[in-house]
Amino acid sequence: MKNIDDSAITRDGKSLIVAHDHGLEHGPEDFEPNPESADPEHVFEVAQHEAVTALALQKGLAEHYREFGGDTPLLVKLNGNSNLWSPEDHMSYLNCSVKYAVEELNADAVGFTFYAGSDNEERMAQDFRRIQEEARKYDVSVVMWAYPRGHGIESSEKYEGDTDPEVIAYAARLGLEMGADMVKCKYPGLEGWKDVEEVTSRMKTVMSGGSKASDEKFLSDVAGMIEAGGNGLAVGRNVFQREDPESILDSLEKVIYEEKTVEESL
Ligand code: FBP
């Protein structure tokens, strides 16, 4: 098994993943703040920035990315779900195999959403087991979108919803237990991220970018995550919804790899 530090999707042990799967997860409304971002080729171009260690795409865009000829490593997301239906509880459906991702799309890594706490947790755990074992055969890294979400969390008397730092740390730990190489979690604040680090041992951790925020707020969250021992970021809207995505990537490069302060990075 390859160490993730030797994989294409990290640089000096850190990662800056640009995610562009929002057309599936949230729908075209995510492109409204910057209509250029509806064009995948625009985002492919943005992701050629030297700070970016991977571009995370669903299968359909990944097929176009290879035609486009991008050389930023590709992380193919293997499951996903739209916002259009009304399930009993959260479920992310498999729509690509590891074999297809590696052999046909030339993926360097694969991604999988796991909603811990959903009534469908068992189905996602079974899917994860399959893709994780297949990924080991192909020697590609597995990134888990580790999101606590669903009835188990909503009805719990122990946790205060899916942003409770304790439940975020629990979901991150599941990634380690289940065999992920990297987990991606929502940012619960600096102290909360320290807890994430404490329970994930040497597994890589990246924070989720979240909805668009001011440069200062967004970069100070990223700096907090780095200070707490995190390994980087998987970001969508805070990059592609900006009119000048390159400028925020320049700042992120300084905060993540050079550990500069927010002021120095701007
Ligand atoms: P953002 O930085 O825009 O939050 O994107 C990261 C991401 O994980 C995407 O890969 C995904 O589409 C989205 O967040 C899902 O977020 P949520 O399930 O909270 O809507």
Side-chain angles (χ1 to χ4, degrees), residues 10-258:
T10 58
R11 164 174 144 193
D12 302 332
K14 306 267 184 63
S15 275
L16 202 181
I17 299 165
V18 169
H20 193 48
D21 57 345
H22 302 65
L24 179 92
E25 296 281 338
H26 300 162
E29 70 176 32
D30 272 13
F31 308 137
E32 281 165 18
N34 178 12
E36 256 192 312
S37 63
D39 176 5
E41 288 201 9
H42 169 72
V43 179
F44 298 167
E45 196 70 59
V46 166
Q48 300 306 300
H49 191 289
E50 59 168 18
V52 178
T53 58
L55 176 60
L57 301 172
Q58 286 282 342
K59 179 191 208 172
L61 294 198
E63 288 176 340
H64 294 292
Y65 183 60
R66 284 315 180 201
E67 281 165 21
F68 168 87
D71 57 10
T72 296
L74 178 63
L75 192 171
V76 174
K77 193 70 203 312
L78 302 177
N79 64 353
N81 60 284
S82 85
N83 254 345
L84 291 173
W85 69 314
S86 176
E88 283 297 307
D89 206 357
H90 296 275
M91 174 67 199
S92 191
Y93 287 98
L94 273 184
N95 49 32
C96 186
S97 65
V98 178
K99 180 178 165 67
Y100 191 83
V102 177
E103 292 183 356
E104 306 298 327
L105 303 173
N106 206 7
D108 299 282
V110 291
F112 185 96
T113 294
F114 186 68
Y115 294 130
S118 162
D119 294 347
N120 294 309
E121 184 180 311
E122 185 190 343
R123 285 172 70 187
M124 286 176 278
Q126 286 172 357
D127 288 343
F128 185 79
R129 175 186 64 78
R130 271 210 313 279
I131 70 98
Q132 193 269 356
E133 291 173 7
E134 212 186 341
R136 290 290 175 255
K137 282 195 202 133
Y138 282 96
D139 219 0
V140 287
S141 304
V142 180
V143 181
M144 179 190 277
W145 274 229
Y147 288 176
R149 193 169 284 181
H151 289 159
I153 314 287
E154 288 151 24
S155 60
S156 160
E157 289 180 4
K158 182 169 167 54
Y159 302 115
E160 287 174 24
D162 56 20
T163 55
D164 184 329
E166 226 181 302
V167 79
I168 289 178
Y170 191 166
R173 174 73 190 202
L174 289 182
L176 178 66
E177 302 282 347
M178 293 167 71
D181 299 295
M182 178 183 280
V183 283
K184 167 179 177 299
C185 311
K186 307 248 173 193
Y187 184 62
L190 190 139
E191 292 308 317
W193 201 275
K194 284 184 186 163
D195 294 342
V196 167
E197 291 304 318
E198 209 175 290
V199 298
T200 51
S201 181
R202 283 179 293 155
M203 181 177 55
K204 300 286 179 200
T205 58
V206 293
M207 78 171 236
S208 179
S211 54
K212 190 178 164 205
S214 70
D215 289 4
E216 289 74 11
K217 160 80 177 110
F218 172 53
L219 291 170
S220 87
D221 285 352
V222 178
M225 172 274 308
I226 292 287
E227 186 187 334
N231 301 102
L233 180 68
V235 57
R237 289 164 287 178
N238 269 294
V239 167
F240 68 67
Q241 287 185 349
R242 281 179 156 74
E243 274 179 26
D244 186 0
E246 198 177 332
S247 151
I248 197 77
L249 287 171
D250 289 342
S251 298
L252 286 171
E253 181 166 27
K254 293 184 186 126
V255 172
I256 295 173
Y257 303 106
E258 299 163 29

